[in-house]
Amino acid sequence: MAREKIQKISRKRGREEEKDRLSDLPDAVLQHIMNFMNTRDVVRTCVLSKRWKNLWKHVTTLSFSSLGKVRFYNKFVPQFLANRDASTSLIDLNIEVYGFNAPKLLTGIARYAAQHNAQHLNITTQYNFRDKPTSFLPLMFSCHSLTSLVLGTCVGDPPTELPKSLLLPTLKTLHLSNVRFDAIDRHCVEPFSACSVLNTLTMEGYSFCNDADTFCITNSSLSILKISNSFVYNIYPRNYKHKIILSTSNLASITIGDNIIFSDDQLTSTCDLPFLEEVNVKILSLPMNYSVVAGWLQVLSHVKRLTLSFRSLHELQNLDTMEIQSPCFDRLESLKTVIVTPPRRVLEEEVDEEVNIMVRHLLQTRQAPQFLSVMNSRKLELHC
């Protein structure tokens, strides 16, 4: 009797263990989980059971990656979009596009994103669009539901040529990599003035069409600006220079990344940048035109928190010999120096003393320095 009772309990526990608890979850929960999966794996769930047959059609986040199978991939993406539930809005679309069919595929994606009110769009492509015209950019920039856009080509490829003005009235975050801007006239580029709520702008490589030499970053709502690696696909001579004009009255943070070209870029501003809280200058390359770097710092001198690469700080000691006025940081509260240490033994005390000397030299014109805190952070960089 006891044995039969034990066997019944064991069979009951076995049935409970075999029960598909995942399928018992509500549709909304399952679709939320599927939003974190690669879209190809999302489609594969349709074979699990009748319960899963149509769930994939309602996911709101799509992530496509070719995984090296470009031909299959270029067929799979349009087939998926054609069979997805048309009434379901699209929140996130992340896609990589390669191969000769890239223009056609991108055009279909941009049209689909605009028709389904996409909010976040992330596109990485590897294609020379100058060889074959494409209509995907006008379609993408007519997608007025976008709040976030990441767009770029792979490093070393020809840049994606953008229109004169980006008409995205709801866009809050924009990240551009290896792009080329068209000029509004012969010399001036001004692409962001129509993005009326833009908050964060990141550019990891840009150039200009024709012979434009002035880059106007005009946007009264812009708060965070990050620029680096100018001219990734470099069609200009090494001595090419251009001027950057900031018309960003609400700018709070600016990061200047490492690139040789930046040492010759002139920076001006149409206002005193009264809300500037943070400046990061991460120029590490040689050679460096320290008079130009000083000009950048003069424009950004109202900053409260300043981070300088050791190289930038070292070169600014030469301002006296060139009779250039040092920036006056009248609101500065903290200064951080980023030191890239070579692969050799250097006494920490020696580095600290050298940094302190350079900091005192840089801030020699500043009054009431009692609020200044100097912080040193080190990063060990090994070159093999």
Side-chain angles (χ1 to χ4, degrees):
M1 186 73 179
R3 180 181 293 178
E4 292 179 359
K5 187 174 183 180
I6 292 173
Q7 289 176 345
K8 288 181 180 179
I9 293 174
S10 298
R11 286 194 294 270
K12 183 178 180 181
R13 287 178 178 174
R15 288 193 296 270
E16 289 178 350
E17 291 175 356
E18 293 175 359
K19 188 176 181 181
D20 184 2
R21 297 182 181 276
L22 184 62
S23 294
D24 287 341
L25 295 173
D27 286 0
V29 175
L30 293 176
Q31 288 161 0
H32 178 74
I33 295 172
M34 294 164 78
N35 282 333
F36 296 94
M37 300 166 56
N38 184 280
T39 302
R40 186 178 176 186
D41 294 328
V42 169
V43 175
R44 288 172 172 170
T45 62
C46 70
V47 301
L48 295 177
S49 67
K50 292 182 179 179
R51 171 78 169 77
W52 292 80
K53 185 176 180 180
N54 294 309
L55 283 177
W56 65 271
K57 297 180 180 180
H58 303 276
V59 292
T60 57
T61 296
L62 307 181
S63 298
F64 298 97
S65 179
S66 67
L67 300 175
K69 301 178 180 179
V70 176
R71 288 186 178 180
F72 169 81
Y73 177 75
N74 289 343
K75 292 181 180 180
F76 170 75
V77 173
Q79 288 177 354
F80 176 90
L81 297 179
N83 288 280
R84 184 176 176 269
D85 182 74
S87 64
T88 303
S89 294
L90 182 60
I91 296 178
D92 292 274
L93 176 56
N94 306 285
I95 188 164
E96 301 171 2
V97 182
Y98 307 101
F100 292 106
N101 289 328
K104 181 179 179 181
L105 184 57
L106 281 170
T107 299
I109 291 168
R111 181 179 292 110
Y112 189 89
Q115 292 173 347
H116 292 78
N117 302 314
Q119 297 179 28
H120 310 289
L121 188 58
N122 186 333
I123 296 178
T124 301
T125 183
Q126 186 178 19
Y127 189 81
N128 186 351
F129 290 103
R130 289 181 298 175
D131 294 341
K132 185 177 180 180
T134 178
S135 58
F136 93 93
L137 284 173
L139 285 169
M140 186 175 65
F141 289 112
S142 67
C143 186
H144 291 170
S145 59
L146 281 182
T147 61
S148 174
L149 173 62
V150 179
L151 175 66
T153 55
C154 298
V155 174
D157 290 330
T160 303
E161 295 189 3
L162 300 183
K164 296 178 181 180
S165 181
L166 309 184
L167 303 176
L168 294 169
T170 60
L171 194 70
K172 296 180 180 179
T173 302
L174 178 60
H175 189 142
L176 300 173
S177 300
N178 195 21
V179 297
R180 179 176 296 152
F181 297 107
D182 196 3
I184 58 175
D185 55 35
R186 184 177 178 183
H187 295 288
C188 182
V189 169
E190 191 175 9
F192 308 117
S193 58
C195 300
S196 56
V197 295
L198 185 63
N199 176 267
T200 302
L201 172 62
T202 302
M203 293 183 292
E204 293 185 330
Y206 63 87
S207 57
F208 306 138
C209 295
N210 304 321
D211 51 0
D213 56 12
T214 302
F215 188 17
C216 294
I217 302 178
T218 304
N219 195 290
S220 60
S221 65
L222 188 65
S223 177
I224 301 171
L225 174 62
K226 300 177 182 180
I227 46 180
S228 64
N229 296 326
S230 182
F231 311 119
V232 173
Y233 184 80
N234 189 8
I235 63 172
Y236 299 102
R238 282 283 296 262
N239 61 353
Y240 178 83
K241 301 178 182 180
H242 71 277
K243 180 168 64 176
I244 300 175
I245 301 176
L246 297 180
S247 295
T248 51
S249 56
N250 284 295
L251 190 67
S253 173
I254 180 170
T255 299
I256 305 162
D258 180 34
N259 192 271
I260 293 175
I261 303 296
F262 269 119
S263 64
D264 288 323
D265 292 348
Q266 302 288 337
L267 178 70
T268 60
S269 177
T270 59
C271 65
D272 291 334
L273 305 176
F275 301 105
L276 192 61
E277 295 283 330
E278 182 179 28
V279 171
N280 301 292
V281 181
K282 300 180 178 179
I283 302 176
L284 306 174
S285 302
L286 296 174
M288 177 180 293
N289 188 333
Y290 40 82
S291 64
V292 174
V293 176
W296 279 70
L297 292 179
Q298 287 172 350
V299 173
L300 306 172
S301 60
H302 288 301
V303 65
K304 289 185 178 181
R305 300 185 301 277
L306 175 62
T307 298
L308 285 176
S309 65
F310 181 83
R311 177 64 185 169
S312 301
L313 188 60
H314 182 271
E315 292 296 335
L316 288 171
Q317 294 182 108
N318 298 313
L319 295 179
D320 291 343
T321 61
M322 298 189 65
E323 299 182 353
I324 298 174
Q325 183 179 0
S326 297
C328 182
F329 300 102
D330 53 354
R331 297 200 310 156
L332 193 64
E333 296 176 356
S334 70
L335 172 62
K336 180 178 179 180
T337 59
V338 179
I339 304 172
V340 179
T341 306
R344 58 184 177 85
R345 289 182 173 273
V346 179
L347 292 177
E348 185 174 318
E349 294 79 6
E350 294 178 2
V351 175
D352 287 343
E353 180 59 26
E354 186 176 1
V355 169
N356 288 332
I357 292 173
M358 290 187 289
V359 168
R360 285 195 294 270
H361 182 85
L362 177 65
L363 302 177
Q364 60 185 345
T365 59
R366 170 173 159 77
Q367 297 178 351
Q370 61 269 24
F371 298 106
L372 176 66
S373 62
V374 180
M375 298 169 288
N376 299 304
S377 77
R378 293 170 179 77
K379 180 175 69 173
L380 182 62
E381 199 171 83
L382 300 176
H383 302 276
C384 301

